[in-house]
Amino acid sequence: DAGVIQSPRHEVTEMGQEVTLRCKPISGHNSLFWYRQTMMRGLELLIYFNNNVPIDDSGMPEDRFSAKMPNASFSTLKIQPSEPRDSAVYFCASTSRTGGTDTQYFGPGTRLTVL
Amino acid sequence: GIQVEQSPPDLILQEGANSTLRCNFSDSVNNLQWFHQNPWGQLINLFYIPSGTKQNGRLSATTVATERYSLLYISSSQTTDSGVYFCAGRGEYGNKLVFGAGTILRVKS
């Protein structure tokens, strides 16, 4: 398996622009997570989905952030409008919650810089 | 929610040395996992260890769930072990993993 795939790997944009991050989870995994990592706040969970349904979005910082999972093999995280404080590395992770284990597998991350 | 405390916050080792990293939880957790983030930023799952002991090569982990802590042992450290080690757990009634702040490890040759 190719693992969790994220795109783009790097994104540089200007304040006010819309940013869309993409994630393809590991085939067969039924849970998907979006995390943000910064020096100040560490790793924070933004939102997660079970079977394509958003379960907990309490970590989404504000209305400028939205996430969708239209099918089991694709998810997006959108920031509109972007601000410099959104600069961070955004990770997507997936897991299979069947079988009693819940090991999370992370993608390579998208490094976002908002100027 | 649960609080996750990792110690030490950073550590410098000479190649070949052994080390123990610790993770304490404020409340009962399940789904305890250890991760390594390498210098290129990739997060790799090392262990899924809600209780007991597991070993994988030079790494091993022990979780004592009743006392709310977990330990990660690194033996005969190598420069490639450098990076940040995170532990994470899910509270008994929680839905999501909570991560510690990490231990920054640097192994010198």
Side-chain angles (χ1 to χ4, degrees), chain A residues 31-42:
Chain A
S31 294
L32 183 141
F33 306 79
W34 282 101
Y35 291 89
R36 178 172 68 176
Q37 186 177 35
T38 61
M39 288 293 292
M40 292 296 292
R41 300 173 68 94

Side-chain angles (χ1 to χ4, degrees), chain A residues 37 48 58 97 102 104 108, chain B residues 31 33 37 90 95-96:
Chain A
Q37 186 177 35
Y48 81 93
S58 59
R97 288 197 159 171
D102 201 355
Q104 290 199 11
Chain B
N31 195 342
Q33 303 182 38
Q37 187 167 34
R90 188 171 65 208
N95 288 320
K96 53 195 180 186

